[in-house]
Amino acid sequence: MTAATFEIETDKNNNVTKDQHLKILFITRASLFNVRGGDTIQVIKTAEALQKANMTVDIKLCNEKNIDYSLYNLIHFFNIRHPADILLHIEQSKLPYVISTIYVDYTSTHKSTGIKNSILNLFGSNAQEYIKTVSKSITQGEKIISRNYLWMGHKRAVRKVLKNASLLLPNSENEYKRLLHSYGIEKKHVVIPNGADAGIFNYNQEEIRMKDRAMVLCVARIELIKNQLNLIKALNDTQFELYLVGDPAPNHIAYYNECKRISKPNIHFINAIPQEELVQYYKKARGHILPSWFETTGLSSLEALFCGCNIVVTKYGDTKDYFDPENCFFCDPGSVPSIREAVEKAAVHTTNTLYIDEVMDKYNWQQAAKKTIMAYQQVILNTKR
């Protein structure tokens, strides 16, 4: 059931007019800024684009106290996988809310070896999430801000958050279908596709001609779900120079160390760098690969594509809603030969700049902001009624 859209009043520059000005509160996971991921970029860039369109947007972490909810028209939450971060604010604010669900399925990552993953494999996905949430609160001091989560359990908590939301904002139609299949809550929703910043990430024909065919990038936090270990196995001692750009996730240091241990001299590790510096790597590399066990989008894939890279993406998740198989390459993250073959094909593929232009027009933060504003307006209109 897709939410109906309607026209909102904007000026000639597509900005919201003064009489329709809204004040929005973003509430995100507590670690959004010190453990940065794709959702960090989505939150920041969405807020910036909304502010440029004359909206008021404040970003608060879920563990912040003494939030004055009365200042806002509605709340925008991110990450349905963290319902414990949402429940308390729903109860305290009494405001209408929307959710960018960013619904990632982590169960495939637990199929790897190790005692921890062997134990998790004994439980379903919701029980796994509950165990991880409680475990982090005990071993790492990540406070569970809603005590109700402890007795409700993960699945019931997610269902409650979904059921009471005014609108869901998945990043693709396939994401919504997965969410519906998992939790059985049919809700009005508006797809808000992810984007990249064309002001930073862009190409020109000369740069594409000068790209290094041997240079391959993987820009992602180093952790099990991003699957750098199998990527390294695929490209060790090959003609490719692989650059892994990203910091290790705090809970995946052992995985990071194993990646470094097996790496041959053609594998290079670079710590996370600002987007303005990252763009220089995208412009030099012929290919970019994100062989994750699961992706909703893969923001670095969009950034790389904008810079003229030929991209390889996982076949699992929602990537087929974003990327064209005639111009991008899909791999099986569990197959080292599949990863290597996809990289080899991308390295010799003629870059289609018409396709890149099409993607840049469709997947950018301005388009995301425009659709987000329409979603907000629908919620406010329904609330008034």
Side-chain angles (χ1 to χ4, degrees), residues 312-345:
V312 178
V313 295
T314 179
K315 70 177 185 178
Y316 295 132
D318 309 319
T319 52
K320 291 180 181 178
D321 279 24
Y322 281 82
F323 302 110
D324 175 13
E326 292 187 5
N327 292 286
C328 307
F329 300 87
F330 292 81
C331 69
D332 179 350
S335 168
V336 169
S338 172
I339 294 171
R340 184 186 304 115
E341 181 182 0
V343 172
E344 290 171 346
K345 289 180 178 178

Side-chain angles (χ1 to χ4, degrees), residues 141-159:
E142 293 188 12
K143 186 178 179 180
I144 300 174
I145 65 171
S146 173
R147 293 185 179 274
N148 288 343
Y149 177 80
L150 292 173
W151 66 263
M152 291 178 71
H154 189 82
K155 185 172 184 177
R156 286 181 63 194
V158 170
R159 283 176 57 86

Side-chain angles (χ1 to χ4, degrees), residues 50-315:
L50 290 172
Q51 287 162 348
K52 288 178 181 177
N54 295 335
M55 305 284 286
T56 295
V57 180
D58 291 331
I59 302 173
K60 301 286 187 182
L61 303 181
C62 65
N63 59 353
E64 291 189 42
K65 297 180 179 180
N66 302 317
I67 297 175
D68 187 352
Y69 302 107
S70 67
L71 298 175
Y72 305 98
N73 297 101
L74 62 82
I75 301 177
H76 187 157
F77 293 105
F78 294 80
N79 281 315
I80 193 60
R81 274 198 334 106
H82 302 290
D85 295 347
I86 299 173
L87 287 171
L88 181 67
H89 298 286
I90 293 173
E91 295 161 1
Q92 289 185 342
S93 70
K94 309 300 182 184
L95 286 174
Y97 64 90
V98 300
I99 312 171
S100 288
T101 46
I102 316 178
Y103 180 47
V104 178
D105 181 1
Y106 281 87
T107 54
S108 58
T109 66
H110 301 142
K111 296 176 183 177
S112 60
T113 58
I115 297 176
K116 176 182 175 182
N117 291 319
S118 297
I119 294 173
L120 286 172
N121 284 338
L122 300 174
F123 303 91
S125 60
N126 290 291
Q128 290 175 8
E129 293 300 330
Y130 185 81
I131 292 168
K132 287 190 289 184
T133 299
V134 174
S135 175
K136 287 179 182 179
S137 72
I138 297 171
T139 62
Q140 300 173 33
E142 293 188 12
K143 186 178 179 180
I144 300 174
I145 65 171
S146 173
R147 293 185 179 274
N148 288 343
Y149 177 80
L150 292 173
W151 66 263
M152 291 178 71
H154 189 82
K155 185 172 184 177
R156 286 181 63 194
V158 170
R159 283 176 57 86
K160 180 176 180 179
V161 171
L162 292 174
K163 185 176 180 179
N164 292 302
S166 298
L167 205 60
L168 304 183
L169 307 180
N171 291 141
S172 67
E173 189 63 30
N174 194 62
E175 180 185 340
Y176 173 74
K177 290 177 181 177
R178 291 189 295 101
L179 195 64
L180 177 61
H181 176 76
S182 296
Y183 294 101
I185 302 295
E186 187 172 0
K187 292 291 292 186
K188 291 182 178 180
H189 66 284
V190 174
V191 172
I192 311 293
N194 262 324
D197 190 340
I200 300 174
F201 304 106
N202 50 68
Y203 74 91
N204 65 54
Q205 296 285 0
E206 182 60 25
E207 288 171 343
I208 290 178
R209 284 193 290 270
M210 297 296 292
K211 281 180 175 290
D212 183 350
R213 287 182 178 271
M215 183 175 177
V216 179
L217 284 178
C218 175
V219 178
R221 192 166 57 196
I222 298 178
E223 56 185 337
L224 186 58
I225 195 169
K226 298 300 182 181
N227 199 33
Q228 286 95 345
L229 192 63
N230 274 354
L231 174 57
I232 292 167
K233 292 176 181 178
L235 298 189
N236 263 341
D237 282 334
T238 63
Q239 73 272 30
F240 297 105
E241 296 290 325
L242 172 63
Y243 291 80
L244 299 166
V245 183
D247 293 332
N251 299 322
H252 293 256
I253 300 302
Y255 181 79
Y256 172 71
N257 290 336
E258 178 64 8
C259 286
K260 296 200 77 171
R261 187 189 70 79
I262 72 165
S263 292
K264 301 300 182 181
N266 65 315
I267 311 297
H268 313 278
F269 291 81
I270 300 171
N271 291 335
I273 54 179
Q275 288 190 318
E276 290 75 14
E277 296 178 31
L278 179 60
V279 68
Q280 299 307 317
Y281 286 88
Y282 285 138
K283 287 182 177 291
K284 293 177 183 177
R286 179 67 171 175
H288 179 274
I289 176 167
L290 205 56
S292 311
W293 289 104
F294 195 95
E295 285 290 348
T296 54
T297 306
L299 288 180
S300 60
S301 296
L302 282 175
E303 294 169 356
L305 186 64
F306 281 23
C307 291
C309 294
N310 291 332
I311 65 168
V312 178
V313 295
T314 179
K315 70 177 185 178

Side-chain angles (χ1 to χ4, degrees), residues 190-193 362 366-376:
V190 174
V191 172
I192 311 293
K362 187 175 182 181
Q366 290 72 33
Q367 287 293 330
K370 184 176 181 180
K371 292 181 179 181
T372 302
I373 291 170
M374 294 176 70
Y376 291 164

